């Protein structure tokens, strides 16, 4: 983690922050309550691994126009991926049969910014604070699932050519975009009572583009169905959010 702040002048400041995290973990599991009481150190998931690589950054610009008015711009982003491989079952106590492992890979890339202006004012005898701003967010997530190796190590490579009839196979992209406009105002009715109305407009676009395989086997393990199903979806929606808050300080 690294954090740096620069005072540009008396009214302007620039802040920067980055965080990086990487780890590899061997994951235990597969125990019922009874098995845990007998031996909490045992595991039915000796081939399960999880790996994470996470990089997060943030840049903030602050500017003071006057004692009553200031501006902020916050730019942020994330570049990360996760990988998990192992044996998965709906039955917790099911023993790992040591077949090909299930491998899932996900990549997460997003960025955006949020800008706002804050204004203090006085109207007649009522003090107030108003905030107006805009937020933009764009992301692209990818997900891929398929057969991994039969080994016990942290091998995060796909083995589709070796296990072409593995039943859990899919690959998708999820691009999303979000734009929001918002405003909020605090009315200080007196020293103890304040009223805060707010409004926010959201425009959201979510998409999915990819495919999944449908593979059926008979009792002998022979393939009786092998087809690829492609999907492409888009969902657009816009709406307003309204809020009203009341605060009393005793």
């Amino acid at each position: 983690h690294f954090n740096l702040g620069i005072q540009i002048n008396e009214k302007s400041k620039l802040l920067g922050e980055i965080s990086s995290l990487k780890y590899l973990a061997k994951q235990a599991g597969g125990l019922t309550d009874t098995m845990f009481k007998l031996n909490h150190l045992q595991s039915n998931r000796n081939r399960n691994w999880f790996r994470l690589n996470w990089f997060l950054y943030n840049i903030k610009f602050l500017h003071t126009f006057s004692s009553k008015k200031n501006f902020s711009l916050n730019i942020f982003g994330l570049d990360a991926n996760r990988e998990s491989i192992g044996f998965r079952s709906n039955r917790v106590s099911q023993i790992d049969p040591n077949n090909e492992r299930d491998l899932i890979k996900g990549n997460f890339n997003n960025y955006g910014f949020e800008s706002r202006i804050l204004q203090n004012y006085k109207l007649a005898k009522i003090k107030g604070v108003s905030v107006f701003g805009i937020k933009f967010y764009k992301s692209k997530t990818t997900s891929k699932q398929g057969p991994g190796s039969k080994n016990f190590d942290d091998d995060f490579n796909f083995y589709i050519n070796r296990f072409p009839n593995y039943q859990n196979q899919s690959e998708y992209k999820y691009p999303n975009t979000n734009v929001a406009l918002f405003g909020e105002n605090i009315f200080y009715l007196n020293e103890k009572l304040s009223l805060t109305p707010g409004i926010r407009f959201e425009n959201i676009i979510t998409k999915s583009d990819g495919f999944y395989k449908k593979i059926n086997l008979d009792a002998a393990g022979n393939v009786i169905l092998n087809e690829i199903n492609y999907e492409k979806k888009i969902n657009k929606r816009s709406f307003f959010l309204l809020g009203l808050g009341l605060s009393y300080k005793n």
Side-chain angles (χ1 to χ4, degrees):
H1 177 78
F2 179 76
N3 188 301
L4 177 66
I6 300 175
Q7 189 73 43
I8 301 174
N9 52 46
E10 293 182 356
K11 295 186 176 183
S12 301
K13 181 187 295 186
L14 189 64
L15 305 173
E17 185 177 18
I18 60 173
S19 297
S20 180
L21 173 66
K22 296 182 179 181
Y23 73 80
L24 172 68
K26 186 175 183 180
Q27 296 185 312
L31 302 183
T32 63
D33 291 343
T34 301
M35 297 171 66
F36 183 83
K37 290 179 181 179
L38 290 175
N39 181 8
H40 64 278
L41 297 179
Q42 65 176 309
S43 173
N44 288 333
R45 305 290 185 266
N46 293 322
R47 303 188 302 151
N48 287 22
W49 294 85
F50 181 83
R51 183 166 66 185
L52 178 69
N53 185 359
W54 181 38
F55 180 76
L56 179 68
Y57 59 89
N58 178 274
I59 300 173
K60 182 178 289 187
F61 174 72
L62 303 174
H63 180 75
T64 301
F65 292 99
S66 65
S67 60
K68 295 183 178 182
K69 186 178 182 179
N70 61 66
F71 168 80
S72 67
L73 174 63
N74 187 25
I75 302 172
F76 55 87
L78 172 69
D79 184 10
N81 61 73
R82 64 176 296 278
E83 300 166 308
S84 61
I85 186 169
F87 171 67
R88 297 179 178 86
S89 172
N90 292 328
R91 291 190 291 117
V92 176
S93 60
Q94 184 176 356
I95 304 299
D96 185 350
N98 293 329
N99 294 332
E100 64 271 22
R101 293 177 290 178
D102 189 61
L103 174 60
I104 300 177
K105 291 187 177 184
N107 288 284
F108 310 90
N109 297 280
N110 63 62
Y111 61 89
F113 70 87
E114 181 174 318
S115 176
R116 60 176 61 192
I117 293 179
L118 185 146
Q119 175 74 57
N120 289 271
Y121 65 90
K122 188 174 183 180
L123 186 62
K125 295 183 178 180
I126 298 178
K127 294 181 180 180
V129 180
S130 62
V131 178
F132 299 96
I134 181 174
K135 182 176 182 180
F136 173 81
Y137 172 82
K138 191 173 184 65
S139 70
K140 181 181 179 182
T141 300
T142 62
S143 176
K144 185 176 181 179
Q145 183 177 14
S149 73
K150 287 187 175 183
N151 301 328
F152 284 78
D153 61 349
D154 55 324
D155 183 357
F156 293 99
N157 295 307
F158 286 103
Y159 290 85
I160 298 175
N161 293 332
R162 187 177 300 178
F163 308 106
N165 299 323
Y166 185 73
Q167 293 178 289
N168 297 325
Q169 297 189 53
S170 64
E171 186 171 355
Y172 279 89
K173 297 178 181 178
Y174 304 101
N176 302 308
T177 305
N178 176 216
V179 179
L181 302 172
F182 58 89
E184 185 175 305
N185 198 100
I186 303 177
F187 296 101
Y188 293 98
L189 304 179
N190 53 48
E191 294 182 356
K192 295 183 177 181
L193 186 64
S194 64
L195 188 67
T196 309
I199 184 172
R200 185 181 183 96
F201 172 75
E202 294 274 1
N203 178 258
I204 303 174
I205 303 175
T206 55
K207 301 178 182 179
S208 65
D209 186 4
F211 69 88
Y212 69 93
K213 289 188 176 182
K214 187 175 183 181
I215 301 175
N216 294 339
L217 308 176
D218 61 18
N222 301 309
V223 178
I224 57 177
L225 176 67
N226 188 337
E227 64 180 22
I228 300 178
N229 295 280
Y230 292 93
E231 292 183 319
K232 192 171 185 178
K233 299 179 180 179
I234 181 170
N235 187 9
K236 299 180 180 180
R237 53 209 182 274
S238 299
F239 51 87
F240 283 94
L241 299 172
L242 303 175
L244 181 63
L246 181 66
S247 177
Y248 179 78
K249 295 181 181 180
N250 192 354

